[in-house]
Amino acid sequence: MNNSVFVIAAHPDDEVLGCGGSIARHVDAGDHVQVLIVAEGATSRQQQRDRGQVGTELSDLAIAAQKAGEILGASGVELLDLPDNRLDSIDRLDLIKLIEARIERYQPEIVYTHHSGDVNIDHRRLHEAVVTACRPTPGHCVKRLISFEVASSTEWQPPGSAPTFQPNWFVDISAQWPRKREALVAYASEMRPWPHARSIQALEHLARWRGAQVGVEAAEAFCLLRQLV
């Protein structure tokens, strides 16, 4: 029986960084994957938020997100327009209700989202909202809840200041790594030159290292938050 999978990411490129290979693997297995990106991903680079000044950049990010989704085989990519790196300025209940509405619409069995200890504030706030929206009330559709790592955020949090990412769920993406790499290339504006943690080279090193941890060519690592069987 095929699964319905929902990936909930803060910014354009987070979905590929965190679980692009797993998205492709789900698709290869016949699963239906929907992606939601909640924040626009550009205005935090300004002193004050002004979408008009970064309209071209926002358009390019939206195009990149759709292209990356096509490369990985996602059934759909929905982009919202919440303020970049300002999700803490939005009432938590409003963010929860936004997520709940999509979960009600898509009825996913499996949900991927950010780790609770990331240095990026949007990642942490979104994690909280998703966990609340996926609370295991009787008959709730979500059976597996997973958090992913995002290079240049998860590993940048100093020890002791937040929960450490300690993966307990690994997905073999040896066959899917080339497509993940292609999807990352689609986000050229968000990639950085080596030795930045968000360079293509660093991301391949991470995939190879996560693979070596479990004896495969390449892998993605996650924290399994809850599994109902």
Side-chain angles (χ1 to χ4, degrees):
M1 184 175 179
N2 296 337
N3 294 302
S4 175
V5 181
F6 194 22
V7 177
I8 308 172
H11 312 107
D13 84 349
D14 287 340
E15 79 284 10
V16 181
L17 292 167
C19 59
S22 296
I23 291 172
R25 184 178 171 117
H26 276 295
V27 172
D28 290 347
D31 294 340
H32 177 282
V33 183
Q34 179 70 32
V35 176
L36 175 68
I37 300 171
V38 303
E40 31 82 355
T43 58
S44 65
R45 296 158 190 170
Q46 303 170 304
Q47 288 294 98
Q48 293 186 335
R49 189 182 190 227
D50 185 346
R51 291 187 82 266
Q53 291 186 358
V54 292
T56 300
E57 185 176 352
L58 291 173
S59 177
D60 289 345
L61 279 174
I63 292 169
Q66 296 297 339
K67 182 176 180 180
E70 291 172 5
I71 291 166
L72 299 175
S75 299
V77 178
E78 181 184 8
L79 292 99
L80 304 183
D81 189 37
L82 298 186
D84 182 34
N85 274 282
R86 293 181 174 91
L87 291 188
D88 55 331
S89 69
I90 296 171
D91 286 344
R92 183 173 176 178
L93 181 58
D94 291 339
L95 190 55
I96 291 168
K97 288 185 176 297
L98 182 154
I99 302 301
E100 284 180 330
R102 269 73 182 179
I103 288 175
E104 178 65 24
R105 180 191 307 169
Y106 300 124
Q107 292 289 301
E109 291 92 10
I110 301 170
V111 169
Y112 291 84
T113 195
H114 291 277
H115 177 57
S116 63
D118 282 10
V119 74
N120 187 290
I121 186 64
D122 286 357
H123 296 186
R124 300 200 304 274
R125 294 292 82 83
L126 187 58
H127 172 93
E128 294 169 357
V130 171
V131 167
T132 303
C134 294
R135 56 199 183 277
T137 54
H140 199 279
C141 59
V142 177
K143 309 304 180 190
R144 183 188 304 163
L145 182 59
I146 301 176
S147 65
F148 50 69
E149 61 181 333
V150 172
S152 75
S153 182
T154 307
E155 81 283 8
W156 281 359
Q157 186 69 268
S161 58
T164 302
F165 183 77
Q166 297 182 337
N168 58 358
W169 184 275
F170 292 80
V171 175
D172 182 355
I173 63 163
S174 302
Q176 291 79 25
W177 165 251
R179 280 148 65 199
K180 174 167 179 169
R181 188 186 191 284
E182 185 181 354
L184 290 168
V185 170
Y187 276 117
S189 66
E190 303 307 294
M191 296 298 103
R192 299 292 180 263
W194 172 263
H196 195 284
R198 207 166 64 248
S199 63
I200 296 294
Q201 296 96 318
L203 294 165
E204 178 162 6
H205 288 320
L206 177 61
R208 299 302 183 191
W209 168 240
R210 291 306 190 192
Q213 287 182 290
V214 290
V216 299
E217 288 291 327
E220 288 174 337
F222 304 92
C223 289
L224 177 63
L225 306 180
R226 184 170 60 248
Q227 171 80 60
L228 177 62
V229 296

